[in-house]
Amino acid sequence: MVSSLYIVLGALLLIKLSLDVVKLRTQYRIAYGDGGFYELQTAIRVHGNAVEYIPISMLLLIMMEMNGAAVWMLHICGLVLLSGRILHYFGLRHREIHRRRMGMAATYISMIIMIITNIYYLPWEQIFSLYI
């Protein structure tokens, strides 16, 4: 399955973002919360934002593949999504609003394409069938 590649890459990104939080918690000796440290607040938010978008996007990607979308569409959606998440990470971490906006735009664009594609490829005959 093509979507497996992007699921693995998304999981690796989530682990990297989580390790950033752990590193800063260790550095600042903060067990809970953010201790008022901006850098830790940012790392927590970057990780949280990725957790909010990556899982549902990966489900959309899997469903696209299961519904029969073309392989090239899977690659485009997966690449745009992960590029968007990485851009958002750099934008938020380095206080570059332009990269952050581009990252969110790429994330939304990939999700909208996946939603539309899934609607198009849905097995409508089965959904509205009167027979089981």
Side-chain angles (χ1 to χ4, degrees):
M1 290 183 73
V2 174
S3 56
S4 300
L5 169 65
Y6 298 102
I7 292 167
V8 167
L9 293 174
L12 288 172
L13 180 58
L14 286 172
I15 289 170
K16 190 266 187 266
L17 298 176
S18 177
L19 290 174
D20 287 351
V21 173
V22 170
K23 176 184 150 196
L24 290 169
R25 284 188 187 284
T26 303
Q27 177 182 330
Y28 293 125
R29 296 183 178 154
I30 304 294
Y32 304 102
D34 57 40
F37 293 99
Y38 177 79
E39 190 177 13
L40 181 54
Q41 292 169 354
T42 302
I44 291 168
R45 197 56 232 137
V46 167
H47 178 258
N49 194 274
V51 167
E52 293 165 3
Y53 287 97
I54 291 175
I56 189 67
S57 297
M58 292 302 131
L59 286 173
L60 287 167
L61 196 65
I62 291 168
M63 295 313 298
M64 262 179 69
E65 188 165 17
M66 290 177 68
N67 285 329
V71 171
W72 64 268
M73 290 180 75
L74 297 166
H75 284 297
I76 287 175
C77 289
L79 287 170
V80 171
L81 174 74
L82 290 177
S83 299
R85 294 290 76 215
I86 292 168
L87 271 171
H88 184 267
Y89 160 72
F90 281 112
L92 200 57
R93 185 159 186 210
H94 300 291
R95 298 183 189 187
E96 294 179 13
I97 193 72
H98 181 66
R99 280 190 189 180
R100 186 176 175 194
R101 284 183 182 155
M102 284 177 30
M104 284 310 303
T107 300
Y108 289 143
I109 288 167
S110 68
M111 289 180 77
I112 289 167
I113 291 169
M114 288 187 281
I115 290 166
I116 292 169
T117 303
N118 274 306
I119 290 170
Y120 178 79
Y121 282 105
L122 273 174
W124 293 108
E125 307 81 39
Q126 289 177 340
I127 292 170
F128 292 111
S129 174
L130 297 176
Y131 305 104
I132 297 176

